[in-house]
Amino acid sequence: MPTFLAADGTELHYDESGEGKTLVVLPGGAGRHPSYLGDLAGLPGRLVVHHFRGSGDSPAEGARSFWDQAHDVDGLRAHLGLDRLDLVAHSAGTRVAIAYAARYPDRVASMLLVTPPAAYLTDTPSDAALITAHRRGEPAFDAAVEAYRTGPRGEDQADFERWQQVAAPATYAAWTEVEQAHSRIGRTLLSTVRAFLDVELPEDLPRRLGEVRAPVRVIAGAQDFTTGLAPVLAAAKLFPNGEAVVIDDCGHYPWVERPEAFREAADPFVR
C-alpha cells in the first residue's frame, strides 16, 4: 500500500485504483475504514483514497480534528505532484474537504461532496423527521432513530460499535440485505471520532467558502435522515459555483442505494 509523509513526519497511507484523471477521495464516518467506499460504483478516474489519521491503515495514535487534517491532504497533494486537487468526499470526509477549501482555496480544482453534514455550516433547520416520516412504524428504523436520539450507552469501543449497528438502518432509505451487508463494512474507532470532531471553527468560515471559486457539486439523498435535505441544499449555496443534485429514494450512501443515479450525477462532474 502506498504511503506519504505528513509535515510532522507521520507516515500516512492511501489506496490507489483506476486510471485517468486523479480524484483524491476523502472517506466519511469521522474515520471509518475506507473499505466501505468500495469502488464508488465504478466512479471513473484514478481514485486516490486517503486514510485519515487514526483510521484505515494509517497510525491509530495521533488522530486530529478535521480542521487540522486539511494539512495532511495538502501533503498528499504535494506527494502526488499536483498543483490543485479534484476532491471527492463523503459524509464526515466533506468536513475535511471544506476545511481544505477554506485553508487552501487556490489549490482546489473541484469538489464533489456526497451527502455532507451541514448543520455546522448553515442555520437552516433539519427536515429529517419530515423526509423520513413514511418509515415510522418500521421496527428497525424506529430503533435506529431512538439510538440517534440517545447516543451510545457506554464509553468504550464495544459500546460504540453496538450503537452503530442499531443506528445503521436510519442511514439508508431502505433496509434490505444490500444495505445490511454494507453497514458492516469498515470499522470506526471511537477515539478517532472524538478527535476528529474536537475543533473550534473560525467564525469567518462561511466567508472563506464564499471565496472558493472552484466548481462544487453536492449530492444529496432525498431521504437522508442523518443530514436532512434542506440543510444540505443550503450548504451548496455557500459556494459561488456550487450546485446540488438530489437523488430520490436514497439515504446517506447513494453509490450503494442508487448506483446508477449516483453515476449519472457524479460522472459528468468528475470528468
Side-chain angles (χ1 to χ4, degrees):
M1 176 178 292
T3 64
F4 71 99
L5 292 180
D8 64 353
T10 301
E11 186 178 51
L12 300 176
H13 290 247
Y14 63 94
D15 298 319
E16 185 174 349
S17 63
E19 298 179 349
K21 180 180 178 180
T22 299
L23 305 173
V24 171
V25 181
L26 305 179
R32 186 172 177 178
H33 193 291
S35 56
Y36 85 96
L37 294 171
D39 66 352
L40 288 173
L43 192 69
R46 174 197 181 200
L47 304 186
V48 176
V49 183
H50 179 46
H51 290 221
F52 292 123
R53 293 173 185 252
S55 71
D57 294 306
S58 289
E61 64 277 2
R64 294 182 178 178
S65 75
F66 68 84
W67 183 253
D68 289 336
Q69 292 202 60
H71 298 309
D72 292 339
V73 174
D74 198 55
L76 178 56
R77 175 200 61 78
H79 171 77
L80 296 172
L82 299 173
D83 293 328
R84 298 192 301 163
L85 291 180
D86 292 283
L87 294 169
V88 176
H90 172 243
S91 189
T94 67
R95 293 178 182 264
V96 181
I98 287 170
Y100 186 77
R103 306 188 83 160
Y104 300 97
D106 295 334
R107 298 179 187 176
V108 178
S110 70
M111 291 199 299
L112 180 67
L113 306 178
V114 182
T115 58
Y120 74 107
L121 295 172
T122 173
D123 57 4
T124 301
S126 176
D127 53 353
L130 178 63
I131 63 177
T132 58
H134 63 288
R135 294 189 63 192
R136 285 292 188 178
E138 296 178 22
F141 179 77
D142 289 346
V145 171
E146 178 64 14
Y148 265 97
R149 188 186 69 81
T150 60
R153 296 188 180 278
E155 295 294 324
D156 63 21
Q157 180 66 26
D159 290 325
F160 179 63
E161 291 182 4
R162 282 191 290 269
W163 174 83
Q164 285 184 306
Q165 285 303 305
V166 174
T171 65
Y172 303 88
W175 189 235
T176 71
E177 291 182 1
V178 172
E179 290 83 8
Q180 291 172 37
H182 180 258
S183 72
R184 294 189 289 270
I185 302 173
R187 191 169 187 242
T188 308
L189 295 179
L190 178 58
S191 58
T192 299
V193 174
R194 287 172 171 162
F196 195 90
L197 298 175
D198 185 13
V199 60
E200 185 173 341
L201 295 172
E203 294 182 359
D204 66 343
L205 179 57
R207 178 193 63 78
R208 294 195 196 188
L209 299 183
E211 296 176 353
V212 176
R213 299 301 169 184
V216 177
R217 175 168 288 187
V218 173
I219 295 181
Q223 287 79 39
D224 191 344
F225 173 82
T226 64
T227 65
L229 181 57
V232 176
L233 299 182
K237 296 178 180 179
L238 294 174
F239 300 95
N241 293 309
E243 60 181 2
V245 177
V246 180
I247 299 179
D248 292 329
D249 301 317
C250 185
H252 201 56
Y253 302 94
W255 71 94
V256 175
E257 301 173 73
R258 297 289 312 283
E260 292 183 2
F262 172 73
R263 290 289 301 275
E264 288 176 4
D267 284 15
F269 184 80
V270 299
R271 281 179 171 149

